[in-house]
Amino acid sequence: MKIFFATCIEKPNGTADDCLLRDQLVSRGIDAEFKIWTDADVVWNEAQHVLIRSTWDYHRQLPDFLSWAKSVESVRTLNNPFQLIKWNASKRYLLDLH
């Protein structure tokens, strides 16, 4: 099994927490790699699962990020479902927390 961790250019090797998770998966025989979500050369359907982890720059490119997430979900299991990503990206849900 192969898993891609989607990250951003500022964190090409993920965060310390991402590395802990990746190391645990690798120790169990799962191929887990970091991939920058804006890298046009990544073939997202090479992995069985894509986890959004450290895509900290998405807010600067929100339409592109949402388009990317939707396209990934169309070819692979996106473990952060597109509808949830879209809902979370708007931050309007914060109004419900008051």
Side-chain angles (χ1 to χ4, degrees):
M1 176 183 294
K2 183 181 282 195
I3 296 174
F4 287 162
F5 289 175
T7 188
C8 64
I9 199 159
E10 292 89 355
K11 295 287 183 185
N13 298 308
T15 65
D17 289 344
D18 296 335
C19 291
L20 289 172
L21 176 57
R22 187 226 25 227
D23 293 349
Q24 286 298 311
L25 292 170
V26 169
S27 75
R28 289 166 172 76
I30 297 170
D31 183 5
E33 303 173 23
F34 295 106
K35 299 292 182 180
I36 298 169
W37 75 270
T38 55
D39 184 347
D41 293 330
V42 175
V43 180
W44 294 98
N45 65 0
E46 287 182 351
Q48 285 74 33
H49 296 273
V50 176
L51 299 175
I52 295 177
R53 295 295 298 177
S54 303
T55 56
W56 294 353
D57 59 351
Y58 79 89
H59 65 283
R60 294 191 300 261
Q61 307 170 71
L62 186 55
D64 292 337
F65 180 73
L66 293 175
S67 178
W68 167 83
K70 190 167 185 74
S71 70
V72 170
E73 187 174 66
S74 74
V75 297
R76 233 358 112 220
T77 299
L78 185 60
N79 287 72
N80 316 70
F82 175 73
Q83 289 302 323
L84 184 59
I85 293 166
K86 186 176 172 184
W87 171 80
N88 182 61
S90 77
K91 305 304 180 205
R92 293 179 193 268
Y93 70 88
L94 295 172
L95 296 172
D96 294 334
L97 299 178
H98 68 286

